[in-house]
Each structure stands twice: as structure tokens, then as C-alpha cells.
Amino acid sequence: VPTADELRSTVVTGISRGLGAALFAEAYRLGDRLVGVGRSFTAEQRALATDRPDRVALIEADLALESSIPPAKAIADALGDCARAVLLHNAAVIEPLGMVGALTPAEIATAVTVNLLAPMLLTNAFVAALPASVRRARVLFISSGAAHNVNEGTAIYSATKRGGEKYFEVVAAELARVDPRVTVGVVDPGIMDTSMQTFLRSADTPRREHYVGRYQRGELGDPVTVARQILASSVTR
Ligand SMILES: NC(=O)c1ccc[n+]([C@@H]2O[C@H](COP(=O)([O-])OP(=O)(O)OC[C@H]3O[C@@H](n4cnc5c(N)ncnc54)[C@H](OP(=O)(O)O)[C@@H]3O)[C@@H](O)[C@H]2O)c1
């Protein structure tokens, strides 16, 4: 566990499963103070928050609801007095899958809010909330190859990831000038064995066989391995 002047507070969204759960567990193992943001948490995460409030804080938030997304005050309270601060935008939804014209309006709005609006609002809150004690901060957007590929059936997901990449490109340039303590990046974690892939294999899209094939050939990454790589290479330590 690092000394107080090296304490790193790491905020991760969507930690109930998949890559987010792995990022949470791995950053905890590295000694970070963790702030989990999401609408559901594992029993283990809840127990940690109760037993080790110095190490783990959980913020209940449905990122599909703009009014539920934590404002700067909540982020500031959760970060505490830390020397380093990290924000990992992990939460995302793959739905709605299907062709334009056949999508449900509410599902489109949910995807844009979780995948794109929530990272925008949370980044705005995080930068505003950074305590004077912070010497270095990092914001990382978990993107996807879908941001650059044309995969029929995933127009909404692809657009939110591409939009996020552009948002963070501009924010990186802004912060390099106005608050150089903060660096900003995007990372494509690659295809991973999570519930998102389970859903893609079961959904009726032109790419279904592609996802089934990659699963059957054992090509899906292990989220724990990917989380380790992200923390080692994309998050400044
Ligand atoms: N898996 C892949 O092959 C793959 C490939 C490229 C990129 N990615 C990206 O990697 C990241 C993690 O994906 P994953 O595969 O781990 O996904 P996942 O298994 O589906 O997990 C998604 C996480 O996001 C949370 N979430 C969803 N909707 C939410 C909401 N309204 N409010 C709060 N939290 C919400 C979920 O929590 P709940 O329990 O509340 O639903 C869950 O913890 C995503 O950004 C994804 O786009 C994944």
C-alpha cells in the first residue's frame, strides 16, 4: 500500500462484472483507493466498502439516467486527499443491436447516455473535483474496435465509441494546456470473454457467426489479463 503522498484514487464505472470488475480488483490489489460507480455491485465489493472504507467507496448511479450521474461534489468527496487520481470510463451497453428503422427509441437513448453522455459528464465533474493535492491525473476511455469498423447492427454502439474517442481527443488537447496534471487517453481492450460477448453470440445480427466463431476458436481475451495490461500500460503509475 503506497504512502499518503503517493496515494492513488481510482474511479471505475460499471464494476459489477466483466472488464470493470477486473479493473476494480486489480487496482485494489495494486494498493489504489477505489471508487466504484454503477447501479450494481458484487457482494465482495459491498463487503470491502463496509470493511475498508479507507480503500473502497461505492457510488450508486444508473448511468442511463442523466440525473443519477454523480456531480463534482460526490466525486471530490470520494477522491479524498490523494496525490494521483484516475478515472476509468468502462461502463457501456452493446444494445440496441439491429438495423436502423427497427430500433427502440428508449434503447437508443440509453446507449447514448451510458456510453457517451455519462463519460462526458463524469469527466467534467472529475476535472472540476480534482483536489489541489493531486499532482498527476489520468482519464481513460475504454473504447472498441467498433469505433472504426463498419459492423451492421451496431450503429449506435459504434457511434458512441467513435464520439467518445473524439471527445477525449479534444479534451486531451484542452487539458494539456489548461491543467497539464491531467493526461487523457483511449484504449481498445480487444474482444474479451464477458457478458457483452455472450449477448453478441445470442443476438440476431449479420455478425452472429463471426462472434460464435471467435468464441469457439478461443480468441476471446481474459478480462483480468486485459485489466492488468491496461493498468500497466495505459494508466500512468
Ligand atoms: N467484451 C468485449 O469484447 C469488448 C470489446 C471491445 C470493447 N469493450 C468495452 O469494454 C468495456 C467493458 O465491457 P464488458 O465486456 O466488460 O461489458 P459487460 O460485461 O457487459 O459489463 C458492462 C458493465 O457496465 C455496467 N453498466 C451497464 N449499464 C449501466 C448503467 N446504466 N449504469 C451503470 N453501469 C452500467 C454493467 O453494470 P450492471 O450490472 O449495472 O449492468 C457492467 O458492470 C465497455 O466499455 C465495452 O464497450 C468490450
Side-chain angles (χ1 to χ4, degrees):
V1 176
T3 58
D5 64 340
E6 278 302 305
L7 181 69
R8 185 168 81 168
S9 288
T10 296
V11 182
V12 190
T13 64
I15 64 169
S16 65
R17 55 195 147 87
L19 180 63
L23 286 167
F24 181 93
E26 286 304 305
Y28 183 84
R29 203 176 55 79
L30 291 170
D32 292 18
R33 178 180 153 71
L34 267 300
V35 181
V37 179
R39 59 183 175 175
S40 54
F41 305 106
T42 68
E44 192 186 349
Q45 289 163 350
R46 287 190 187 280
L48 274 177
T50 304
D51 299 342
R52 295 297 308 268
D54 56 320
R55 294 286 313 280
V56 173
L58 300 178
I59 300 179
E60 304 252 7
D62 182 347
L63 299 175
L65 300 174
E66 183 194 331
S67 59
S68 167
I69 296 168
K73 171 82 171 73
I75 300 292
D77 290 349
L79 286 176
D81 270 337
C82 54
R84 292 175 296 165
V86 175
L87 172 58
L88 302 177
H89 294 291
N90 167 78
V93 291
I94 188 78
E95 306 95 315
L97 292 175
M99 301 301 141
V100 65
L103 304 175
T104 310
E107 278 195 320
I108 296 175
T110 292
V112 174
T113 307
V114 175
N115 298 5
L116 184 56
L117 181 61
M120 288 175 170
L121 293 177
L122 272 175
T123 303
N124 192 54
F126 177 81
V127 171
L130 282 179
S133 61
V134 163
R135 295 195 310 273
R136 273 192 292 156
R138 176 76 171 159
V139 179
L140 188 69
F141 178 65
I142 310 294
S143 188
S144 167
H148 301 275
N149 301 333
V150 177
N151 298 335
E152 289 183 24
T154 63
I156 307 301
Y157 178 76
S158 296
T160 59
K161 293 298 189 182
R162 184 63 167 254
E165 290 195 2
K166 178 53 78 176
Y167 172 77
F168 287 106
E169 192 184 331
V170 177
V171 167
E174 286 180 6
L175 289 170
R177 195 172 56 76
V178 301
D179 191 348
R181 295 179 301 166
V182 193
T183 63
V184 178
V186 304
V187 65
D188 171 10
I191 188 166
M192 295 174 291
D193 193 5
T194 67
S195 54
M196 192 174 275
Q197 283 295 321
T198 310
F199 186 75
L200 283 165
R201 288 194 299 276
S202 69
D204 182 19
T205 72
R207 300 267 297 168
R208 186 175 169 277
E209 289 313 314
H210 167 84
Y211 294 117
V212 170
R214 293 203 65 175
Y215 176 73
Q216 287 172 342
R217 292 191 298 276
E219 292 174 4
L220 274 55
D222 165 29
V224 174
T225 307
V226 175
R228 281 186 189 145
Q229 287 165 350
I230 288 173
L231 291 170
S233 64
S234 303
V235 177
T236 316
R237 288 204 61 76

